Amino acid sequence: MSVRVVLSTGTGLERTGGCKEFEIEARTMRELVRKMDQRFPGLGAWLEEETAVAINGEIHDTVHFQPLPENAEVFFLPKIEAG
Amino acid sequence: MCATRNAYRWVGSRPVRPDGLEKVTGAAKYGADFTLPGALYGKVLRSPHAHARILSIDTERAAALPGVKAVITGADLPDHPFEYSGPERLALNFWHITRNILAREKALYEGHAVAAVAATSASIARRALALIEVDYEPLPHVIDVERAMAKDAPLLFEDMFTRGVEPPPTEPSNISKRVCFEMGDVKAGFADADEIVERHFRTAPVHQAYIEPQACLAQWQGGKGEIWTSSQGHFAVRNLTARLTGMTIGDLKVNPAEIGGGFGGKTVVYLEPVALVLSRLSGHPVRMSMSREEVFKATGPTSGASMTIKIGVCRDGTMRAAEAILRYQSGAFPGSPVMNGCMCAFAPYSIANQRTIGYDVVSNRPKAAAYRAPGSPISAFAVESTIDIAAKTIGMDPLEFRRLNAARIGTRMVYGPQLAHGGYVETIDALRDHPGYQAPLGPNQGRGVASGYWFNGGGDSGATVSVNADGTLTIATGSPDIGGTRASMAIMAAETLGIDYHRIRSEVADTQTVPYCHVTGGSRVTYATGLAVIDACKKVIDDMRARAALLRDVDVERVAWENGHAVPAVDAAGGKIAEFEPLSFQEIAAKFSATGGPIAATGTVNAGGQAPGFSTQFCDVEVDPETGRVSILRFVAAQDAGRAIHPSYVEGQIQGGVVQGIGWALNEEYIYDEASGTMSNPGFLDYRVPVSSDVPMIEPIVVEVPNPNHPYGVKGVGEVSICPPMAAIANAVADAVGRRMQELPMSPPRILHALNHRQDPEL
């Protein structure tokens, strides 16, 4: 199951050498983050701690349990401050 | 006014607020109301300088004063490594935070805390402060954001190099960070446009202006700490204070007081770590509270800003390209909401080619703190003013222009994803249909329109629900009740369980009693903590079905839950699959002991799928050409709430946000003495917030486009209403007198200057 992954501004581009778009085989956010971490060691923990994620536009914290639909579009975003 | 009706029994109803009686009779306890036997008075010594090196602090004479039990400086708090942690937007750096709590090497703004004392009386504490000798080396200061960005500006941190710039700069500056969001081909988009509008805007820093100053009581006893405080999140207070004082989270208990307003400004700590360390050193409980002057000078206002907006529009009304350059003050330490400003700036619109660039800039002001939709109202003022000019340039009605370009489900946002939820167009349509929108205007009167966007929040929350023997229910959460969440939690529990709302008591409990809840902010509590309450209620239903099965001698699969009763389940054809007399919630509660012990459940969530909020507003103003005073004649605000759980509270949130926006637009600002860098108006006599006579009745229109990710359709409602008012008023002023106000506040002197120094009408 392939999903399109995009790192937005402020979400770790310096850890991927500036590469911002990926195609990843993953069924859950846990699997996606683990595979991103395999490709760029240390990125996974950073994504979990410091980003939110939009899965087909729906915004969530970057949590393990979130399922990924087939051909999902996954954007990592800066977490938003509460006011 | 509520636009739709629903089929729920409790959701959408307007019961009397559960905390109302205590608040109107004065019985409710706020931060300063708590005390303990033997409690000392804590006071803070603050810098008189806007910028100064601290060469030495001598506390000996103060400590020797009879009645003084402890004196501390920054050296009494553990230091922290210089590292940014947490999400990039927040970029918490405890090296900075501990220096904001108590200064170390430098005082970076007037009012910066330098030392603190605890004494047996307030007067002794004040005398002790006067005995502390601080040797300052005054340094040049910088207050204005554009001056702070200049190459020759005095530097707050000689080793600050702008992050987010490639290659990294080799010279330090006051620009702590640059961010950029971009999509499409911005250059080609502007080339395609028939008209290009470009304007420069400025906003003043404004304070959240909560009525209750920061106040707390802290006690250190037996190696553990306990705090009573007014905040937007006692779990956040616990975590920050534990980190700043070097203790474990589990050893610190924080009790929530009622809160007299926060609006984002009480998501951070100032006094709590100081009071706790004073208590540890003195062996006594310590009470601390700020004066209004301290609140203004030492707690976070939101950023002032300088902004340049450029919009390319075609004569058919479509926006082809847009660019925003936002420069936000963060105060004395990095961390303005400029990233939010960048992400929200054009979010209500479908514009294929966009670029938003943000600069986070330090200056000698108090550290900025969150304020209602942090960052979004500032960029909305500039963008929505420019959009008004663009609509007028092509001769289009401002609501029609916005509707034509409105973001809808599937619209690509500049920060990446497609918009997953609607609601914006519906707010525009609510105003188009309003009879006031076409009402005639008199001389010197004008009408202005503006919109706003806010993400709304989800995240971590927990709740416990406990069933009492008489069939009443107690809900406990860790979310301070700022906007009526006790009531909204109880309403959703009543709806889920099928019981009477009036049999539910909803409480805010301390950090050792209930699961973690993130702050009450980000318009998140009714959504996220509400989901935790619903989750716990569903567990109670499952438990009660099992107990009913026991009492009726049937399998649990044969027991369903309906309208507050355990009833025989039905098959697919609708036929009962069991025969037994239904049992009510109250009857099962009465049998709790015989059926297995207390009935209670905990719900915990990391709630995602929150839907953003849109607001569109119009206002009518009248400008007095002799005095420059702007009077608000009418203000109508439409906002998508998803579903209004308690419509009166939603309307109150809309009205409150609009009133704060009116103050931001017309009067509020930090006024500085340029020579000394000190604040000239640190009190409500000179820092003018709106009073009742300044505003008409704000007319709220609650639009309901339900969020499918919540059982009752909830979206957040607490913040987006503050985004449009500044631009709506500026657009109305332009309509009234032909003067485009591009700097806030639009105070009488500025209006008069605009009227007297330009002859040609402006768009």
Side-chain angles (χ1 to χ4, degrees):
Chain A
M1 184 177 290
S2 179
V3 297
R4 176 177 173 244
V5 180
V6 184
L7 301 182
S8 181
T9 297
T11 58
L13 291 171
E14 67 281 6
R15 290 169 170 78
T16 64
C19 188
K20 63 182 292 188
E21 286 202 37
F22 309 88
E23 286 288 330
I24 304 275
E25 294 284 330
R27 293 173 185 277
T28 64
M29 280 301 301
R30 165 70 180 158
E31 190 178 358
L32 188 153
V33 169
R34 187 164 48 80
K35 289 186 174 176
M36 294 285 284
D37 193 62
Q38 286 169 356
R39 197 177 294 191
F40 304 103
L43 178 63
W46 193 87
L47 289 173
E48 279 180 19
E49 289 295 318
E50 310 207 6
T51 68
V53 66
I55 304 169
N56 289 337
E58 298 282 7
I59 296 177
H60 305 264
D61 280 358
T62 303
V63 292
H64 293 175
F65 58 78
Q66 209 61 45
L68 297 174
E70 177 77 44
N71 299 319
E73 188 180 70
V74 180
F75 276 84
F76 286 96
L77 309 171
K79 272 190 181 172
I80 306 303
E81 178 187 23
Chain B
M1 184 173 92
C2 228
T4 61
R5 292 284 171 263
N6 64 64
Y8 298 113
R9 181 180 177 199
W10 296 108
V11 168
S13 65
R14 300 173 185 252
V16 172
R17 57 188 302 165
D19 54 335
L21 186 66
E22 291 90 337
K23 285 182 175 170
V24 298
T25 58
K29 288 196 169 186
Y30 293 85
D33 292 327
F34 289 90
T35 190
L36 286 168
L40 304 176
Y41 293 81
K43 296 284 179 192
V44 173
L45 181 69
R46 300 185 181 277
S47 168
H49 301 288
H51 193 190
R53 202 175 306 284
I54 298 173
L55 302 176
S56 65
I57 305 175
D58 186 346
T59 61
E60 200 170 317
R61 289 176 62 212
L65 185 69
V68 171
K69 301 297 182 184
V71 185
I72 65 169
T73 68
D76 292 292
L77 291 170
D79 206 354
H80 295 263
F82 187 96
E83 62 182 12
Y84 289 99
S85 63
E88 177 60 25
R89 156 59 205 100
L90 301 172
L92 292 180
N93 187 327
F94 279 85
W95 191 92
H96 289 146
I97 295 172
T98 194
R99 279 160 177 76
N100 195 34
I101 301 297
L102 281 170
R104 289 176 185 241
E105 300 84 4
K106 274 180 164 186
L108 291 166
Y109 53 94
E110 184 211 13
H112 195 164
V114 172
V117 303
T120 51
S121 75
S123 62
I124 293 173
R126 275 192 288 272
R127 275 189 281 148
L129 292 183
L131 295 174
I132 297 174
E133 296 170 18
V134 184
D135 188 5
Y136 292 106
E137 176 195 348
L139 299 168
H141 60 267
V142 62
I143 301 295
D144 179 78
V145 63
E146 288 168 343
R147 290 183 196 163
M149 293 176 76
K151 285 194 172 177
D152 60 350
L155 293 176
L156 276 71
F157 302 97
E158 290 80 1
D159 56 354
M160 178 184 283
F161 296 87
T162 308
R163 297 186 300 135
V165 176
E166 289 297 337
T170 55
E171 296 291 325
S173 80
N174 290 320
I175 305 170
S176 73
K177 185 173 68 176
R178 177 186 183 275
V179 295
C180 178
F181 296 88
E182 186 168 358
M183 68 177 188
D185 187 333
V186 176
K187 187 177 177 185
F190 280 119
D192 280 349
D194 296 321
E195 303 281 351
I196 292 176
V197 180
E198 184 171 5
R199 295 292 176 101
H200 186 71
F201 299 88
R202 289 173 60 86
T203 67
V206 296
H207 200 272
Q208 298 84 350
Y210 32 82
I211 297 300
E212 182 197 16
Q214 271 79 359
C216 71
L217 167 70
Q219 182 179 37
W220 180 271
Q221 201 168 52
K224 295 177 181 172
E226 185 164 4
I227 293 172
W228 294 257
T229 188
S230 164
S231 79
Q232 288 180 244
H234 42 296
F235 282 93
V237 169
R238 181 185 67 165
N239 292 0
L240 287 167
T241 303
R243 177 89 175 258
L244 288 163
T245 57
M247 61 189 298
T248 61
I249 289 172
D251 284 337
L252 181 58
K253 176 180 180 180
V254 181
N255 303 282
E258 291 295 342
I259 177 168
F263 313 109
K266 291 181 183 169
T267 56
V268 289
V269 295
Y270 300 99
L271 297 179
E272 291 85 352
V274 174
L276 193 60
V277 172
L278 285 170
S279 177
R280 179 165 56 83
L281 294 178
S282 67
H284 292 261
V286 174
R287 304 170 71 188
M288 298 187 79
S289 60
M290 287 193 186
S291 65
R292 181 61 57 188
E293 182 174 342
E294 286 180 299
V295 171
F296 273 114
K297 290 185 174 179
T299 71
T302 192
S303 306
S306 148
M307 297 170 282
T308 307
I309 309 297
K310 184 177 175 184
I311 291 175
V313 61
C314 286
R315 290 196 186 88
D316 67 1
T318 55
M319 287 192 276
R320 293 298 169 89
E323 182 180 63
I325 301 172
L326 312 178
R327 308 163 196 91
Y328 280 22
Q329 294 165 337
S330 63
F333 297 96
S336 76
V338 71
M339 183 176 276
N340 292 353
C342 288
M343 296 167 79
C344 295
F346 299 110
Y349 304 104
S350 173
I351 308 173
N353 309 296
Q354 290 185 47
R355 179 164 52 229
T356 57
I357 298 170
Y359 295 95
D360 184 71
V361 184
V362 296
S363 60
N364 295 112
R365 294 171 175 270
K367 166 74 177 71
Y371 181 26
R372 216 164 187 162
S376 181
I378 300 169
S379 59
F381 164 62
V383 167
E384 292 291 317
S385 295
T386 310
I387 281 178
D388 195 64
I389 299 168
K392 285 181 173 173
T393 300
I394 61 165
M396 207 165 174
D397 174 85
L399 276 182
E400 297 302 327
F401 184 76
R402 284 171 172 80
R403 198 178 195 285
L404 178 68
N405 291 283
R408 298 162 193 262
I409 292 174
T411 295
R412 182 71 63 188
M413 301 279 103
V414 74
Y415 50 89
Q418 297 177 38
L419 187 65
H421 298 270
Y424 178 39
V425 169
E426 288 80 356
T427 66
I428 296 173
D429 289 348
L431 296 193
R432 283 205 311 180
D433 297 340
H434 191 283
Y437 187 64
Q438 301 297 342
L441 294 164
N444 297 316
Q445 295 180 358
R447 181 166 295 140
V449 168
S451 296
Y453 170 90
W454 179 244
F455 298 95
N456 294 330
D460 295 312
S461 275
T464 61
V465 298
S466 304
V467 180
N468 305 310
D470 60 357
T472 57
L473 187 83
T474 304
I475 299 172
T477 78
S479 294
D481 181 358
I482 299 179
T485 51
R486 284 185 183 92
S488 64
M489 296 304 117
I491 287 173
M492 287 186 282
E495 196 72 53
T496 305
L497 292 166
I499 64 174
D500 189 332
Y501 164 87
H502 300 95
R503 296 180 67 78
I504 300 176
R505 174 68 65 93
S506 186
E507 302 282 356
V508 183
D510 66 75
T511 54
Q512 315 305 79
T513 305
V514 289
Y516 175 86
C517 282
H518 188 45
V519 296
T520 298
S523 303
R524 62 173 297 277
V525 172
T526 301
Y527 184 74
T529 308
L531 285 174
V533 168
I534 293 167
D535 180 46
C537 288
K538 287 180 175 174
K539 289 175 180 171
V540 165
I541 289 173
D542 288 343
D543 191 7
M544 285 196 145
R545 284 176 53 235
R547 293 172 192 247
L550 194 63
L551 291 167
R552 290 291 187 248
D553 301 310
V554 297
D555 292 335
V556 67
E557 291 78 17
R558 295 177 181 272
V559 180
W561 190 261
E562 189 177 296
N563 197 25
H565 290 73
V567 298
V570 296
D571 58 22
K576 285 183 184 177
I577 60 173
E579 285 291 342
F580 63 85
E581 191 68 21
L583 279 163
S584 70
F585 183 91
Q586 199 165 340
E587 288 171 319
I588 301 168
K591 295 283 187 185
F592 79 84
S593 187
T595 56
I599 303 171
T602 297
T604 59
V605 297
N606 184 330
Q610 65 270 26
F614 291 99
S615 177
T616 304
Q617 305 173 356
F618 82 83
C619 68
D620 295 345
V621 305
E622 180 169 324
V623 180
D624 183 334
E626 291 186 359
T627 64
R629 182 174 193 267
V630 176
S631 300
I632 309 290
L633 306 176
R634 181 201 293 267
F635 212 114
V636 183
Q639 182 175 326
D640 176 23
R643 178 84 69 201
I645 298 299
H646 190 308
S648 298
Y649 280 117
V650 175
E651 291 160 357
Q653 289 289 336
I654 295 173
Q655 292 168 323
V658 169
V659 170
Q660 288 187 311
I662 290 172
W664 200 337
L666 296 180
N667 291 111
E668 294 181 40
E669 63 178 320
Y670 271 52
I671 298 171
Y672 276 89
D673 173 66
E674 294 248 341
S676 65
T678 57
M679 187 182 180
S680 302
N681 59 335
F684 280 140
L685 280 177
D686 300 311
Y687 181 99
R688 194 172 183 284
V689 296
V691 296
S692 291
S693 56
D694 291 323
V695 294
M697 177 55 73
I698 311 297
E699 184 180 334
I701 301 175
V702 181
V703 174
E704 293 188 311
V705 181
N707 176 7
N709 298 320
H710 187 280
Y712 303 119
V714 166
K715 297 176 180 174
V717 297
E719 292 169 286
V720 72
S721 57
I722 200 175
C723 299
M726 289 75 81
I729 294 168
N731 296 341
V733 168
D735 188 46
V737 295
R739 293 290 177 270
R740 174 57 58 180
M741 304 303 294
Q742 294 175 193
E743 182 168 5
L744 299 182
M746 294 175 276
S747 53
R750 283 215 178 98
I751 296 272
L752 272 185
H753 185 271
L755 290 173
N756 294 335
H757 287 79
R758 291 290 301 271
Q759 298 300 318
D760 302 330
E762 299 168 315
L763 291 177

